[in-house]
Amino acid sequence: MDCVFCEIVKGNILSEKIYEDEYVLAFKDLKPQAPVHFLVIPKKHIKNALEIKEEDKDILYNVFLSIQKIAKELDLKDGFRVVNNCGEDGGQTVLHLHFHVLGKRKLNWPPG
Ligand code: AMP
Ligand code: ZN
């Protein structure tokens, strides 16, 4: 399987890791779109939001718990945005489920 995020999980591709537990890994985005921009991914390969199954509920719970922990550590008390791009129209370029977390600047809405 040719998945860049699976390679990051295995340690074959280096990343700037900021958090890791049994279920998830968080690391800085290569092309940050805000002063804080990291990705939270499940260690398990799940293609995107359309492929999440009932058995993945612990993973998803831990994705959001880890976002909460990291947000507190990084002092994102003024708020932040969690983004999941799904499929072609959603702008998904890496086909391994991931959540962008952006903060430390005022973010526009709607995103366009
Ligand atoms: P998406 O467009 O939602 O699929 O986002 C994929 C994100 O992964 C982009 O923001 C990329 O900058 C980021 N990305 C791709 N490869 C790497 C990598 N090796 N390390 C960190 N971020 C990456
Ligand atoms: Zn993968």
Side-chain angles (χ1 to χ4, degrees):
M1 199 198 323
D2 193 20
C3 172
V4 63
F5 287 176
C6 281
E7 292 305 310
I8 286 176
V9 170
K10 286 185 220 151
N12 295 335
I13 293 178
L14 291 182
S15 67
E16 267 196 78
K17 208 182 284 184
I18 58 173
Y19 178 84
E20 181 172 16
D21 66 28
E22 186 186 343
Y23 297 98
V24 306
L25 183 66
F27 53 90
K28 290 188 183 176
D29 196 290
L30 213 51
K31 292 181 190 160
Q33 305 299 319
V36 167
H37 184 181
F38 60 90
L39 302 173
V40 181
I41 69 169
K43 287 185 169 177
K44 176 184 170 184
H45 182 88
I46 300 170
K47 184 180 169 192
N48 62 31
L50 287 170
E51 302 288 326
I52 296 166
K53 298 189 169 61
E54 162 105 42
E55 70 204 38
D56 299 322
K57 61 180 187 283
D58 287 350
I59 295 174
L60 268 294
Y61 175 61
N62 277 275
V63 163
F64 279 88
L65 267 189
S66 68
I67 289 172
Q68 194 183 100
K69 279 183 205 159
I70 299 163
K72 285 176 183 167
E73 270 167 30
L74 298 182
D75 194 31
L76 298 179
K77 62 181 179 315
D78 293 334
F80 55 90
R81 184 169 294 165
V82 181
V83 175
N84 171 249
N85 297 326
C86 180
E88 204 180 329
D89 282 359
Q92 185 179 9
T93 60
V94 177
L95 302 185
H96 180 128
L97 181 69
H98 55 279
F99 296 84
H100 297 257
V101 181
L102 301 124
K104 296 274 187 198
R105 78 167 166 85
K106 187 83 182 156
L107 297 157
N108 301 321
W109 191 263

